[in-house]
Amino acid sequence: MTLIPPEVLKLLKDGFEIRKFFELVHSFGHGKAIGLEFSDCGEGWVELEMEGRPELVGVPEENIISSGAMISLVDTCAGSALWHKLGKFEPIVTVDLRLDYLRPAFAGETLYARCECYKMTRSIAFVRGIVHTGERDRPVAHVAGTFMRHP
Amino acid sequence: MSGFSPYANLLKLEPRIDEDGVFRIVMPYHEAVMGRPGFLHGGAIAGLLELTAFETLKRALGDENVAMKPVTVTTDFMRGGAHRDTICEAYIERLGRRMANVEAFAWQKERQAPIAAAQINFLLERPHPHVSA
């Protein structure tokens, strides 16, 4: 069911290298449209960033960034955390993703998603994380998601 | 369409009222909603689900003074989205004074075979009626 382009196939062969992967992500499609960038990573976790550009606004009266754009950021971050933990690229699909919105984020702020893959079975990976705007102790949203491996 | 948010315009979302009188939003296939090659991006689908829930609730409330704030959004992805139009419809499960529970679902070929669904709980902030001049 997956059509894997040659650039990704190469990543698959070489092992998962997150910086290279994001050169690809922000070069086409939805990742390009919303401007996803790699920020940081550590053991089992990945942080991505997205500038709160005017075209990502969901509530124009108050300049609030749309939760849809935030879900895109989080979905990509959660999947990347999984590949990063595995150290290789493999096909996955999102089974479900939940966001709890703690406070709004505004246009002009930089949004960061920081997700950790905290449990992996043969079939399912469990991910949790937050969205913040620079201060991790004042998150915008809490995130929980599950992914299916080898769909 | 005017009145839609910049993000909805980025997704090129098109509202419509079908012959059965139901409000639906269509997301045409285009480059900005593409995810991994051959499929729609899950985030773009989630954006469509959320906006459909939001607009359906706004129509049901019929009051511009009520602020609708999403508190939780849970999205289930059931099938990969192909390179074609995606149609979305929302159903209000409960509309209370302070909370509204809305479910949205999106499909491509058949309504019976959704590609994704979202459960969205909104906090409603109504203007205080008892404030006297």
Side-chain angles (χ1 to χ4, degrees):
Chain A
M1 83 181 255
T2 38
L3 232 163
I4 303 173
E7 305 94 292
V8 178
L9 268 176
K10 190 171 181 309
L11 282 169
L12 215 156
K13 237 169 55 185
D14 299 350
F16 183 71
E17 242 198 80
I18 194 144
R19 281 175 185 82
K20 271 195 211 160
F21 179 70
F22 273 89
E23 281 170 24
L24 187 70
V25 167
H26 71 210
S27 68
F28 78 99
H30 196 60
K32 180 182 170 188
I34 64 171
L36 290 183
E37 301 287 346
F38 172 74
S39 165
D40 198 5
C41 67
E43 204 174 312
W45 61 268
V46 168
E47 188 175 83
L48 303 186
E49 61 179 89
M50 179 177 81
E51 287 299 321
R53 301 194 316 239
E55 57 266 41
L56 303 181
V57 163
V59 187
E61 299 78 15
E62 295 172 83
N63 248 351
I64 295 171
I65 296 295
S66 79
S67 81
M70 225 186 292
I71 294 174
S72 298
L73 167 72
V74 164
D75 189 33
T76 308
C77 182
S80 305
L82 196 165
W83 291 318
H84 180 61
K85 188 182 175 109
L86 276 173
K88 66 182 172 104
F89 187 85
E90 67 175 31
I92 55 168
V93 293
T94 316
V95 177
D96 71 24
L97 193 62
R98 169 175 167 140
L99 270 82
D100 291 355
Y101 294 105
L102 308 179
R103 65 177 184 89
F106 299 96
E109 293 186 293
T110 302
L111 279 82
Y112 299 87
R114 195 183 180 102
C115 291
E116 170 202 17
C117 178
Y118 66 95
K119 169 76 184 173
M120 180 119 58
T121 72
R122 261 176 302 168
S123 306
I124 303 288
F126 299 85
V127 178
R128 65 185 166 209
I130 57 165
V131 177
H132 66 92
T133 52
E135 300 162 81
R136 290 207 303 277
D137 54 356
R138 218 168 68 84
V140 170
H142 270 239
V143 180
T146 54
F147 288 80
M148 181 177 281
R149 301 177 58 191
H150 320 293
Chain B
M1 174 199 161
S2 63
F4 264 13
S5 72
Y7 185 65
N9 292 333
L10 185 147
L11 298 178
K12 298 193 198 296
L13 301 187
E14 298 163 2
R16 68 181 198 203
I17 293 169
D18 285 329
E19 281 173 10
D20 55 8
V22 178
F23 173 79
R24 296 189 178 100
I25 296 182
V26 180
M27 181 169 76
Y29 175 74
H30 58 107
E31 210 230 324
V33 299
M34 202 170 90
R36 67 196 153 103
F39 294 89
L40 294 183
H41 193 284
I45 301 169
L48 169 68
L49 290 164
E50 206 223 351
L51 191 84
T52 308
F54 187 87
E55 290 295 323
T56 302
L57 180 59
K58 192 163 119 185
R59 293 169 64 87
L61 281 163
D63 181 353
E64 294 281 332
N65 295 315
V66 183
M68 300 171 284
K69 298 184 172 176
V71 180
T72 64
V73 177
T74 310
T75 312
D76 292 319
F77 295 96
M78 293 172 277
R79 291 174 176 86
H83 287 188
R84 57 192 300 162
D85 287 4
T86 308
I87 306 151
C88 190
E89 179 180 320
Y91 170 72
I92 299 169
E93 290 160 327
R94 178 177 176 271
L95 178 49
R97 233 198 107 61
R98 298 181 64 201
M99 290 297 301
N101 308 77
V102 185
E103 182 166 4
F105 60 102
W107 71 93
Q108 292 190 320
K109 273 200 261 182
E110 287 173 72
R111 196 169 173 275
Q112 287 72 25
I115 61 165
Q119 174 71 47
I120 307 176
N121 301 325
F122 289 93
L123 174 68
L124 305 178
E125 287 180 352
R126 297 173 187 269
H128 294 291
H130 55 267
V131 177
S132 52

